[in-house]
Amino acid sequence: MCYIVCMDINYSEDTFSITETELLEPKQYQVIFLNDDYTTKEFVTQVLEVIFHKEATEAERLMERVHREGSAVVGIYTYDIAVTRVNVTMKIARENGFPLRCEMREA
């Protein structure tokens, strides 16, 4: 939780008031990859490295989790970032002929 301190507009030479305003953190969303029988492991790993900025070892670990368990959370982001990464992932997958499925859920 964050607070911001600001001076009241009705400042006089002798007094001023300080109010605290609570700022809420934005909601977070999980981006989830779903396994399929056609998208190659190499493509999934490359997407995780390029679009999700994962190191090679982390990308491979996540790809293997998707393959073994059927799905994996590949990142947690604010709404705008999550939507953008899901849309870019789906677009690139389709352009390369893969049916990779990617979705987001509120964390």
Side-chain angles (χ1 to χ4, degrees):
M1 199 173 316
C2 298
Y3 291 96
I4 186 167
V5 178
C6 47
M7 277 193 236
D8 192 298
I9 296 174
N10 296 320
Y11 172 76
S12 72
E13 201 170 292
D14 297 329
T15 63
F16 65 89
S17 63
I18 296 177
T19 58
E20 289 185 1
T21 304
E22 183 179 350
L23 300 178
L24 300 176
E25 295 290 328
K27 289 182 182 178
Q28 298 288 300
Y29 293 83
Q30 298 175 331
V31 175
I32 302 161
F33 276 22
L34 304 168
N35 191 37
D36 64 73
D37 294 332
Y38 302 100
T39 306
T40 64
K41 292 181 176 183
E42 294 79 15
F43 181 78
V44 172
T45 302
Q46 185 177 19
V47 167
L48 290 168
E49 290 175 10
V50 174
I51 296 173
F52 292 86
H53 309 289
K54 303 293 183 187
E55 296 292 328
T57 54
E58 175 72 0
E60 288 179 25
R61 187 183 65 75
L62 287 168
M63 174 274 298
E64 285 296 337
R65 179 176 290 164
V66 171
H67 180 69
R68 281 192 322 273
E69 298 175 16
S71 67
V73 174
V74 298
I76 299 175
Y77 308 97
T78 60
Y79 180 82
D80 291 341
I81 294 171
V83 165
T84 300
R85 292 193 182 181
V86 166
N87 289 339
V88 169
T89 298
M90 300 296 284
K91 181 179 184 289
I92 290 173
R94 298 308 169 263
E95 288 173 353
N96 286 278
F98 293 115
L100 176 63
R101 292 185 303 142
C102 181
E103 60 185 40
M104 56 185 265
R105 296 182 192 144
E106 192 171 328

